[in-house]
Amino acid sequence: MSIISTWKRLGWLTQFIILAAIFTYPTILGFNYLNSKGIIGGKNKETVQLEKATQEQNIILTSAPSNYKTVGLTMMPLPSSTVVRDATRVSIEYWGMAWQSQAGFALANGGPLTTEGSMYDKAKINFNFIRQDMYDKMSEKMLDIAKQFEDDPEGTPIYLLGIMGDGMVTFGAPLMARLQEINPDFRPVGIFTPGFSDGEDKFIGPYEWRIDPQKARGGICVVYLKDGDHNLALKWAADNGVPVNPDPTTWSANALNFVSAEDFLDAARKYNARKSNKVELTEVITDENGKVIKRGDKVFKEINCVSTWLPGDEKVFSGSPNDDIINLMSTRENRMQMPCLVIGLNKQLEMHRGDVEKFIWASLQASDQIKTYDGALRFACKAQAEIYKEGAEENGKFWYDYYRGKTITTSFGRQVTLGGSRAANLADNAELFGLSGGVNRYEAVFNYFGNYMARLYPEDVPTVPDINEMLDLSYLQNVYSKYKGNMTTADEPQMTPGGIVDKVSERNYKVEFASGSAQLTAEGIKTLNEMYQSLAVSDLKIQVYGHTDSDGDDGPNMELSQKRADAVKYFLIKKGINPKRFTDVMGYGESNPIAENTSANGKQKNRRVEIETGM
């Protein structure tokens, strides 16, 4: 029988299997040969060749600086040290504090001025990074730019500045009023963030206040007033039900008091010198809510807590080794509180939309590099040392050591973390500003701390402006729409399994429900909206406990308190709080009173919802 006739007698399936076996192996060999020669498949072979670069440039962290996950990201070449000389390009002058949330700018620029091979060089931008720690000088500079722009729009360089995002109301509202004197259409607007404070800003005080926050009543905090560090102390007090005295010239035994520092470093100096330099204040008598009833005599008091940021925190702990102090609250717990908000003049930004969007994308790509590659982070820290004019002699080691936070042990055996910032990529911006369909968490930050200032300092902030007047996300939205296909991932908060181990705050809220039910009243909804803003600032675990007074039977009271605790939880989830944050939601009925049930006032205090947050 011939081979051909035998082949014809085979079924089609058998024929297919034999042909596949004959041709598959040579096909694979041929494909591999062409691929090895770069004729096909070249794009899929792009990798980082560590052996072709210096060790410092291409060290890849075994665990990234944050819990960020790299998705197909390769390391970009680092900038050179040669400054670009091209006057035909658009120029951006940026004023920012010595703050590592801006590390992406340092990497993308190559140093104070744009260098060859940098990301801004590739974007055809000349970027001048100038350190400026004083907000008043930033404001005056923007007013000067606005006057120039009004007279010569084409010839005025773009001016951008960076501030603590939780202070946008107190910084931006007065500036907007002055800008509108130049042109009624002028406004300062925030456009994106290159990074966050991640523990770098902190409220430091006695350890015993962590155990019993009510011992903070009568305490004195030194701080640069009406700024992000002030906000931390205010939030800690609010979350723990401690009244605050906003007047830095008076002292109340029933509230947390504040005295003014010239800046964050001065706050650290004044704290360390508190033993020999007591502050002179006028005593005021207040009710339990902090309302002044009458003024009294002059008193001399010792400062016992401070709000500051790196290197102020390092100076406090190294300069006061005999104090049993800890970080009572920091931006590591309040991870969304303090983005570095980049601000510009609205009309100037509109004129240069294309260049602004190229700048944003280059900056966020640089943040991705810092979040992924140790070599990129080291380069950024070295560049920051040159920009900030501090630490250059150590090639940026100071900034590198404190970027992720440095843990020390105090003389009392307490573990304390100093420093801590994190870069923000496109995905982090999308999460913060709600670009991908989620909640705009920055709106909660803006309104929450804006309302603080409006209540405490109405002479400075008569009203909280509409966020849409002071935020223009159109530039970031365009970048997101164009590059979301290339987007990597955002940082995710680290939450250990189980309930709260380290409690940060505990407060009783009067959440009003309809009588005998879990139906929220209008006043109850208002309270929960305020509660949401406070909780949206962080990603801490949440525990909710419902309580009733003694009216009625134990069984129905227990059931009602559970329904009310559940109602609080589901309201907050619907507003946008991550359901995973709720570790315990429990009704206790009338079993845990905080006041006597023999009076209407006592019963009202017992009808409450208790919120605990922590890690």
Side-chain angles (χ1 to χ4, degrees):
M1 183 180 295
S2 68
I3 294 175
I4 295 175
S5 60
T6 301
W7 176 258
K8 289 181 178 178
R9 295 182 61 183
L10 297 175
W12 70 268
L13 180 60
T14 305
Q15 290 175 348
F16 176 80
I17 293 171
I18 293 171
L19 289 171
I22 293 171
F23 291 106
T24 296
Y25 185 66
T27 299
I28 293 172
L29 288 177
F31 181 86
N32 287 342
Y33 174 81
L34 293 174
N35 188 58
S36 69
K37 295 298 183 183
I39 298 172
I40 63 173
K43 289 184 178 179
N44 293 328
K45 285 183 64 63
E46 183 178 347
T47 59
V48 178
Q49 301 296 325
L50 297 181
E51 67 278 7
K52 293 183 180 180
T54 65
Q55 182 180 11
E56 180 178 300
Q57 288 173 330
N58 278 344
I59 293 172
I60 301 175
L61 290 174
T62 53
S63 62
S66 59
N67 62 323
Y68 167 75
K69 299 174 184 176
T70 305
V71 182
L73 192 70
T74 56
M75 186 170 179
M76 294 182 178
L78 296 174
S80 73
S81 59
T82 304
V83 174
V84 172
R85 306 294 182 187
D86 186 350
T88 65
R89 296 180 177 185
V90 66
S91 293
I92 297 177
E93 185 172 311
Y94 177 81
W95 286 24
M97 297 172 283
W99 184 12
Q100 296 202 89
S101 62
Q102 304 156 129
F105 292 164
L107 173 62
N109 206 39
L113 297 173
T114 305
T115 65
E116 293 179 0
S118 67
M119 296 177 198
Y120 294 154
D121 178 30
K122 294 173 184 176
K124 305 300 181 186
I125 292 170
N126 288 334
F127 187 77
N128 184 8
F129 192 150
I130 299 172
R131 174 180 177 174
Q132 179 52 258
D133 296 329
M134 305 300 291
Y135 276 178
D136 57 345
K137 293 184 179 180
M138 290 184 184
S139 295
E140 292 301 322
K141 175 68 174 181
M142 180 163 280
L143 290 167
D144 289 342
I145 289 291
K147 292 172 185 175
Q148 292 179 42
F149 182 76
E150 180 76 352
D151 295 334
D152 182 15
E154 296 289 345
T156 306
I158 301 171
Y159 170 62
L160 299 175
L161 58 92
I163 67 164
M164 298 176 181
D166 57 327
M168 179 56 170
V169 171
T170 48
F171 177 85
L175 176 58
M176 181 164 64
R178 296 182 68 188
L179 285 170
Q180 290 178 347
E181 293 174 1
I182 301 170
N183 184 318
D185 293 329
F186 283 178
R187 290 180 290 117
V189 292
I191 56 174
F192 84 111
T193 181
F196 296 83
S197 174
D198 189 33
E200 188 170 2
D201 296 78
K202 48 182 62 74
F203 173 46
I204 303 165
Y207 174 74
E208 65 175 355
W209 291 9
R210 173 64 65 86
I211 306 303
D212 183 3
Q214 297 306 312
K215 289 187 176 181
R217 293 175 185 252
I220 298 176
C221 176
V222 59
V223 65
Y224 181 65
L225 292 171
K226 307 172 189 177
D227 199 5
D229 297 335
H230 192 188
N231 281 336
L232 271 172
L234 291 172
K235 188 175 190 302
W236 179 87
D239 287 354
N240 287 286
V242 177
V244 296
N245 172 22
D247 185 350
T249 67
T250 65
W251 175 79
S252 167
N254 197 42
L256 178 61
N257 304 273
F258 297 95
V259 293
S260 181
E262 294 178 6
D263 57 34
F264 69 99
L265 289 175
D266 184 51
R269 286 191 294 268
K270 285 181 175 175
Y271 175 81
N272 287 338
R274 71 199 179 285
K275 297 289 185 184
S276 56
N277 290 289
K278 293 187 177 181
V279 290
E280 181 182 348
L281 302 167
T282 300
E283 183 175 6
V284 291
I285 310 301
T286 65
D287 61 18
E288 64 179 8
N289 297 314
K291 184 178 179 181
V292 176
I293 300 172
K294 68 176 183 178
R295 297 175 69 88
D297 299 328
K298 295 285 184 181
V299 292
F300 291 87
K301 293 290 180 179
E302 185 178 299
I303 294 168
N304 47 14
C305 58
V306 57
S307 266
T308 187
W309 54 290
L310 183 76
D313 57 350
E314 188 273 336
K315 293 183 183 300
V316 166
F317 282 102
S318 63
S320 301
N322 296 322
D323 290 352
D324 190 7
I325 52 176
I326 60 166
N327 299 331
L328 292 168
M329 180 172 281
S330 79
T331 46
R332 180 150 291 181
E333 294 82 53
N334 294 348
R335 64 186 294 269
M336 288 295 183
Q337 174 181 337
M338 204 175 289
C340 174
L341 188 65
V342 177
I343 298 171
L345 180 65
N346 63 325
K347 291 300 180 182
Q348 188 179 45
L349 297 177
E350 290 169 11
M351 177 175 286
H352 297 281
R353 177 172 291 276
D355 291 313
V356 171
E357 291 174 5
K358 285 194 297 182
F359 164 71
I360 291 174
W361 177 231
S363 302
L364 298 182
Q365 286 180 290
S367 290
D368 257 332
Q369 293 290 304
I370 287 169
K371 288 155 71 77
T372 309
Y373 296 104
D374 188 61
L377 174 59
R378 287 178 184 274
F379 183 95
C381 291
K382 184 177 179 181
Q384 285 183 109
E386 186 179 358
I387 293 165
Y388 304 146
K389 298 179 173 59
E390 286 187 40
E393 66 281 357
E394 297 180 325
N395 290 323
K397 185 178 184 299
F398 173 86
W399 301 104
Y400 178 80
D401 287 346
Y402 286 99
Y403 175 84
R404 282 168 283 171
K406 182 177 180 179
T407 300
I408 64 167
T409 302
T410 70
S411 59
F412 290 82
R414 319 276 184 215
Q415 293 286 304
V416 175
T417 300
L418 307 176
S421 285
R422 59 189 173 102
N425 60 13
L426 182 56
D428 294 313
N429 274 264
E431 179 191 14
L432 175 66
F433 296 109
L435 300 185
S436 50
V439 174
N440 183 345
R441 294 182 67 177
Y442 179 70
E443 184 173 3
V445 171
F446 179 93
N447 288 321
Y448 186 66
F449 292 107
N451 285 326
Y452 270 175
M453 292 296 134
R455 273 178 273 178
L456 296 176
Y457 305 103
E459 66 280 5
D460 295 327
V461 186
T463 59
V464 177
D466 186 326
I467 189 173
N468 295 310
E469 292 183 343
M470 308 190 77
L471 197 66
D472 186 349
L473 296 179
S474 63
Y475 306 91
L476 183 61
Q477 184 67 61
N478 288 344
V479 172
Y480 175 75
S481 298
K482 187 174 182 179
Y483 296 108
K484 62 183 178 182
N486 299 57
M487 191 167 69
T488 48
T489 57
D491 284 325
E492 294 180 1
Q494 295 292 292
M495 285 190 284
T496 56
I500 292 173
V501 176
D502 185 7
K503 185 164 59 177
V504 174
S505 68
E506 178 181 0
R507 178 179 171 182
N508 291 314
Y509 289 85
K510 179 68 178 74
V511 182
E512 192 175 279
F513 295 90
S515 180
S517 80
Q519 182 70 40
L520 288 160
T521 65
E523 190 64 28
I525 291 173
K526 179 182 177 182
T527 301
L528 287 184
N529 278 323
E530 293 174 357
M531 187 188 299
Y532 158 73
Q533 290 180 351
S534 175
L535 294 171
V537 170
S538 77
D539 282 296
L540 294 170
K541 296 177 183 177
I542 303 169
Q543 295 179 169
V544 183
Y545 303 120
H547 303 275
T548 69
D549 60 29
S550 61
D551 289 351
D553 296 330
D554 290 353
N557 277 344
M558 188 70 74
E559 182 180 354
L560 178 59
S561 66
Q562 182 65 57
K563 287 181 178 179
R564 288 179 171 177
D566 289 336
V568 169
K569 171 186 174 180
Y570 292 122
F571 178 93
L572 294 171
I573 290 174
K574 189 175 180 180
K575 288 286 292 184
I577 297 296
N578 185 346
K580 295 179 181 178
R581 294 176 60 188
F582 293 91
T583 60
D584 196 10
V585 180
M586 184 74 68
Y588 283 93
E590 61 188 75
S591 61
N592 288 334
I594 57 173
E596 296 292 335
N597 275 303
T598 55
S599 67
N601 184 51
K603 290 179 180 180
Q604 185 182 51
K605 290 180 179 179
N606 290 331
R607 295 192 296 270
R608 69 196 192 278
V609 174
E610 184 180 344
I611 300 290
E612 290 185 10
T613 64
M615 295 175 285

